[in-house]
Every structure is written in C-alpha cells, then in structure tokens.
Amino acid sequence: MDAFSQRGALERTGRPLGVVELVYFGWRFWKRDSILLSFEWWIVAVSASSFFLYAISQWSIFYSLSIFLDAFSRWFGFPVIVVVGVIIFARGVRLARWLEIALFVVGFLGAYIWVTYEVLAPVKPWVYLILAIWFAGFSVYLAAQLFSFNKKYLALFLFLVVVFNLFIAIAYDFYHIPWDDEHRTTFY
C-alpha cells in the first residue's frame, strides 16, 4: 500500500486518540469496580483499533476481529451489557461475578453465531435497528434522569449521541455509498 492510500485509510478510520479515550474510560470504570462497563469499553477500543490496523495493513485477521467485536457490541454489548452496567453503576449494587462472566459468554457465543451463519444476513439490519432503538430508549430515559438532576448539558449531549447513534445505525445497515468498497471503508 502506498503512502497516499495509507494516509487515506488513516483519515477514513477516525481518530486513533478515540481508542485511547475508550481504554482510559474503561480503566476508570474498572477502578470503580464496574466490570461490565469497563470490558465493553475495552471491547469497543479493540474493535476500533483492529479496523484501524486493517485499514493500514490490509491483514484480514484485523478485519475479522473488528467485525466480530462490532457484532458483539451491536447485538449484545450495548443493548444488554451497557444497560445493565449503567443501572448497576447508578444504583451502587453488584452482580455476582459468575453472572457478569455469563453475560459476556452469552454475548460472545451469540456474536459467533451472528457472524458465522450467513442465513441470518437478511435479518441482521433489522435486528440491529431494533436493538439500536431499544438502546436509544434507555438512553433517552437516562438523559431525562440527568435533566431532572439538573445536569442539563450532559442530558443534551446524551440526547445528541442518541440521535447520531440512530442515524449511523440506519445509514450503515440500510444505505450503501456507491463508491465504497465491500468492507465499507469509506463509511468508516
């Protein structure tokens, strides 16, 4: 790959600093003993950095890892693990470690099935959309709670994140950029 296409790949895959931020906030959740949130943040960081490494190296192992972890986060990580993790974190309660581990095992097994079996391909966009709407509903509830605690800027920011998340979910699954490659590098 020549320098021009490497630079383009770097520009298309977002900010590498975003991965550092994800790792940092995962560590912050870890320090507060929030295993669910910390591991999900780290999974998103590994997924993003894997796609970044794929874009500059074209090694398929990075692409496969990114797709697998993205499937995990989209179908189970955010709609289940983050929702449960935020509720637990906000309430100050704890889940049994075996239950936290079981959530990740179920999520990884489901992601493996989701990525491996092509027969599921036609329903994936719709399932992802339903789960994005579910997560958006929880996030709007959380934004309303923040607003009621006089955290208006955080509530507004969270609401904007919800809007962008739904836009990206719809655009990614239901719209294909005509000049994009099969791995949707331009979209990223």
Side-chain angles (χ1 to χ4, degrees):
M1 183 182 304
D2 63 4
F4 176 74
S5 58
Q6 280 183 336
R7 187 185 65 197
L10 290 173
E11 291 168 356
R12 288 192 301 268
T13 56
R15 307 174 311 144
L17 183 58
V19 172
V20 174
E21 293 164 349
L22 288 166
V23 170
Y24 171 74
F25 285 111
W27 177 76
R28 295 281 308 263
F29 282 123
W30 179 267
K31 295 286 282 180
R32 293 178 175 236
D33 206 29
S34 179
I35 304 302
L36 296 175
L37 294 176
S38 62
F39 273 104
E40 179 54 26
W41 258 239
W42 290 335
I43 287 168
V44 173
V46 171
S47 176
S49 58
S50 295
F51 190 80
F52 175 77
L53 291 171
Y54 166 74
I56 60 175
S57 72
Q58 297 297 304
W59 291 354
S60 63
I61 187 70
F62 292 127
Y63 180 75
S64 298
L65 181 61
S66 179
I67 291 300
F68 174 76
L69 293 176
D70 184 61
F72 171 84
S73 290
R74 290 182 73 193
W75 98 269
F76 199 80
F78 275 89
V80 177
I81 289 177
V82 169
V83 169
V84 171
V86 167
I87 291 170
I88 290 170
F89 187 77
R91 302 280 185 221
V93 296
R94 297 235 352 114
L95 277 183
R97 287 283 187 227
W98 71 268
L99 191 52
E100 291 176 335
I101 292 167
L103 283 172
F104 281 102
V105 169
V106 167
F108 283 126
L109 287 174
Y112 174 77
I113 291 168
W114 200 239
V115 169
T116 304
Y117 294 100
E118 288 297 319
V119 70
L120 299 172
V123 298
K124 282 182 187 180
W126 297 102
V127 171
Y128 283 152
L129 180 61
I130 291 167
L131 293 171
I133 291 169
W134 155 256
F135 186 70
F138 173 75
S139 299
V140 167
Y141 165 76
L142 188 59
Q145 291 295 312
L146 287 169
F147 193 81
S148 72
F149 293 132
N150 206 23
K151 302 288 185 184
K152 293 178 175 68
Y153 290 114
L154 282 175
L156 176 64
F157 178 72
L158 182 56
F159 182 75
L160 290 174
V161 167
V162 168
V163 170
F164 286 123
N165 179 50
L166 285 175
F167 174 77
I168 290 169
I170 292 168
Y172 181 80
D173 290 321
F174 295 102
Y175 177 74
H176 184 73
I177 300 170
W179 58 86
D180 204 355
D181 62 9
E182 67 181 274
H183 300 300
R184 303 178 66 92
T185 313
T186 302
F187 180 85
Y188 286 109

